Each structure stands twice: as structure tokens, then as C-alpha cells.
């Protein structure tokens, strides 16, 4: 008789965005600083558990918010979390809303992105790491993990948190905010929210074979909306402070759910996608 299927081990990486990176959510915390072939990650990796599920927390901008978006070492962050054995990444990000119906304080489980960055390393396969030969033309048709997104949406519904079931994020270089003309253009392109960090994080997660899902929190209306205060640091931080508990309770409830599910097929599919995307050099 065949042995019963064993749930593949789940370890969840949490990348905390601005104002959404509180290590207190982890029990039994330990910290370690590591190095990677791509340099140092943003900060220490903080390991611990959430309801018996192994988790690793990393503050995207550093714990003192000292790293501007373009200077985040996205590759080192992703490599470090992969090396720690993370199978999933649940990340948070502050964003501006480009839609009337996405109000400040609302959560969006984004499903698509538009890349407006210009200065970032978008792939591990750039010839600098001899362990990763070739060029990776990874598919980005479905950038985020649909199965993980479903869990987040179900949990948000049960918790009664106002949450938009999909959305396109446009990632800009920053650190400046948009001009009004840009904001209006991004709306015309079909973008729903705007931030400075989803790209290249989501691309690198796909190359690393990790299930990636993002909880975006709208903090403002960027600057497209007439008769509305335009985005400012004060405004962003105030909204985050008032609403960070929503993202936290979503994570605390979703993580045990993810940990109890079977992911073998999903991970095998991700692995296959990467293998089929790499064109090796001809000898």
C-alpha cells in the first residue's frame, strides 16, 4: 500500500515594507546576519514561529528605514531567504492608490505589475554568479502565486478586512513621488496602485522558485485626485500607523493556513518553469 502523502515542509519568508515590519509578530526570535554572492541583505534575518509555522522576517528598507528603494539589495534579500529554506514569501508594501474605489487604508492583493524602474538588477542570471550559468527568460504572465493569493483573500474576507481581490501595481524608481502628469498617465495605462519596490522582488522570487504574494496597503491617492491632499511622507506614515494592524492580522491568520496546505505540485511547477526558462551557453 502506498504511503500517505506527506505535506511538504513550508517555511514562510516575510518581507516587511515601510511601517509594516514589526518583529514582535514572531515567537522565539533569533537573529543572524549573513552574506550572499550578491552582497549583504537589507538587515538581519529574524527567524521564529507564527502559530508553529517556521518564518523568517526581513525588513526591506532596513530596521531604521535607512535604505532608499533603488539601493535595496533585492538579489541579496531573495538569495538569503531562499538559502534559509523559504518556500513562500508573504510581503507587505505601502502604495499610492490610482483608483477612486481603492481608499487609503484599503488592502490590495496585487496580481499584475508594470515596471517603470531603470537602475535595478532584474535577474540572478547576469553572468556574475558561476553557479547560475545562462540567461533566464522567465515568464511573467502570472507574476504572483495564485494559490497563496487565494488564501490571503479568503482570510481577509473571514476577518472582515476591506481587501481588493486584484490590482496592477506600477513600480517607479523613486525615491521621489510622481508628477501629476505621470500619475494621470499611469491611470490611463490601467495601473491601480503605485509603489517603489515590487519590481524586481517579484521577478527574483519567480527565478528563485518561491511562491510570492504581496499585500499592498493604500496610504494615499498619489497626486492625480483633485481636491485631495497630495501624497506626502506625513500622510503615508499616518495612514500606515492607523491601519498596519490589518496587514498584521491578515499575516497572522493566513500563515497557519498556508502552513497546513499541500504545496508539492506548486513548487514542482515553479521549479520546472525556471528550468525551462534558462538558455544555457553553447559550447
Amino acid at each position: 500500500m502506498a504511503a500517505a502523502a506527506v505535506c511538504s515542509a513550508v517555511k514562510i519568508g516575510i518581507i516587511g515594507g515601510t511601517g509594516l515590519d514589526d518583529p514582535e509578530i514572531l515567537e522565539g526570535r533569533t537573529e543572524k546576519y549573513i552574506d550572499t554572492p550578491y552582497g549583504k541583505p537589507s538587515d538581519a534575518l529574524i527567524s521564529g514561529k507564527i502559530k508553529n509555522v517556521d518564518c523568517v522576517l526581513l525588513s526591506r528598507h532596513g530596521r531604521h528605514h535607512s535604505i532608499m528603494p533603488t539601493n535595496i539589495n533585492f538579489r541579496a534579500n531573495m538569495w538569503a531567504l531562499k538559502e534559509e529554506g523559504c518556500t513562500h514569501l508573504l510581503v507587505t508594501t505601502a502604495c499610492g492608490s490610482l483608483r477612486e474605489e481603492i481608499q487609503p487604508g484599503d488592502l490590495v492583493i496585487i496580481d499584475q505589475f508594470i515596471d517603470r524602474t531603470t537602475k535595478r538588477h532584474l535577474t540572478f542570471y547576469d553572468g556574475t554568479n558561476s553557479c547560475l550559468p545562462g540567461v533566464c527568460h522567465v515568464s511573467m504572465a502570472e507574476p504572483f502565486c495564485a494559490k497563496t493569493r487565494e488564501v490571503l483573500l479568503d482570510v481577509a474576507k473571514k476577518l472582515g478586512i476591506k481587501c481588493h481581490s486584484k490590482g496592477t501595481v506600477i513600480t517607479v524608481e523613486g525615491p521621489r513621488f510622481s508628477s501629476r502628469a505621470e500619475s494621470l498617465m499611469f491611470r490611463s495605462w490601467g495601473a491601480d496602485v503605485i509603489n517603489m519596490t515590487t519590481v524586481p522582488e517579484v521577478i527574483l522570487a519567480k527565478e528563485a522558485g518561491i511562491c510570492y504574494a504581496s499585500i499592498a496597503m493604500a496610504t494615499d491617492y498619489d497626486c492625480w485626485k483633485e481636491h485631495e491632499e497630495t501624497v506626502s511622507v506625513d500622510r503615508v506614515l499616518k495612514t500606515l500607523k492607523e491601519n498596519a494592524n490589518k496587514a498584521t492580522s491578515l499575516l497572522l491568520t493566513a500563515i497557519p493556513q498556508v502552513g497546513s496546505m499541500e504545496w508539492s505540485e506548486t513548487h514542482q511547477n515553479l521549479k520546472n518553469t525556471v528550468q525551462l526558462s534558462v538558455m544555457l551557453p553553447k559550447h
Side-chain angles (χ1 to χ4, degrees):
M1 193 171 81
V6 179
C7 279
S8 53
V10 164
K11 191 174 203 177
I12 296 179
I14 303 165
I15 300 179
T18 306
L20 299 165
D21 55 0
D22 182 6
E24 294 292 322
I25 63 172
L26 296 178
E27 296 155 22
R29 294 187 294 280
T30 56
E31 286 187 20
K32 69 172 171 185
Y33 288 90
I34 66 167
D35 219 332
T36 78
Y38 299 95
K40 292 185 188 305
S42 297
D43 209 316
L45 300 182
I46 304 176
S47 299
K49 287 184 186 286
I50 291 177
K51 312 243 176 80
N52 283 330
V53 179
D54 287 323
C55 297
V56 184
L57 178 74
L58 176 61
S59 180
R60 189 185 283 118
H61 296 273
R63 275 181 280 196
H64 303 293
H65 207 274
S66 53
I67 308 171
M68 79 160 188
T70 297
N71 291 347
I72 293 167
N73 193 336
F74 290 99
R75 294 194 296 183
N77 287 352
M78 195 59 62
W79 189 275
L81 290 164
K82 176 75 174 174
E83 283 288 290
E84 281 298 294
C86 291
T87 55
H88 293 71
L89 271 177
L90 296 182
V91 312
T92 56
T93 174
C95 64
S97 168
L98 298 170
R99 299 284 158 220
E100 184 84 49
E101 63 276 15
I102 300 174
Q103 297 171 339
D106 286 4
L107 300 183
V108 186
I109 308 301
I110 46 184
D111 68 326
Q112 287 291 327
F113 71 81
I114 298 169
D115 179 12
R116 282 277 297 172
T117 67
T118 56
K119 301 174 182 169
R120 303 183 184 186
H121 295 291
L122 301 174
T123 179
F124 289 115
Y125 295 80
D126 65 349
T128 60
N129 187 342
S130 56
C131 303
L132 299 175
V135 177
C136 185
H137 298 286
V138 74
S139 168
M140 278 288 129
E142 297 294 334
F144 301 85
C145 174
K147 188 170 170 180
T148 309
R149 288 179 66 257
E150 280 303 313
V151 175
L152 291 171
L153 289 167
D154 286 348
V155 168
K157 203 172 182 178
K158 282 177 188 142
L159 293 174
I161 294 170
K162 191 174 173 200
C163 189
H164 300 267
S165 61
K166 58 182 188 171
T168 295
V169 63
I170 186 158
T171 298
V172 295
E173 195 64 66
R176 69 170 178 85
F177 292 125
S178 309
S179 70
R180 186 166 282 118
E182 287 171 326
S183 201
L184 292 167
M185 176 177 73
F186 299 152
R187 274 168 55 76
S188 76
W189 286 359
D192 301 300
V193 292
I194 179 167
N195 78 354
M196 300 179 194
T197 53
T198 295
V199 178
E201 210 170 76
V202 63
I203 303 168
L204 296 168
K206 183 79 84 170
E207 283 192 355
I210 299 174
C211 298
Y212 180 96
S214 180
I215 302 165
M217 176 176 288
T219 55
D220 55 83
Y221 277 118
D222 204 34
C223 65
W224 62 271
K225 203 166 185 286
E226 284 184 40
H227 316 301
E228 184 77 31
E229 189 187 336
T230 60
V231 58
S232 66
V233 170
D234 282 358
R235 180 78 188 266
V236 168
L237 293 177
K238 183 173 184 285
T239 310
L240 281 170
K241 200 173 176 183
E242 289 167 359
N243 295 279
N245 60 314
K246 293 179 189 172
T248 305
S249 52
L250 184 50
L251 282 173
L252 290 175
T253 316
I255 283 169
Q257 182 92 14
V258 171
S260 70
M261 293 164 67
E262 175 50 57
W263 294 92
S264 306
E265 193 182 337
T266 308
H267 286 130
Q268 193 54 53
N269 290 343
L270 273 168
K271 205 172 173 182
N272 294 346
T273 296
V274 177
Q275 281 173 347
L276 295 170
S277 302
V278 177
M279 289 179 70
L280 292 168
K282 290 178 181 173
H283 293 295

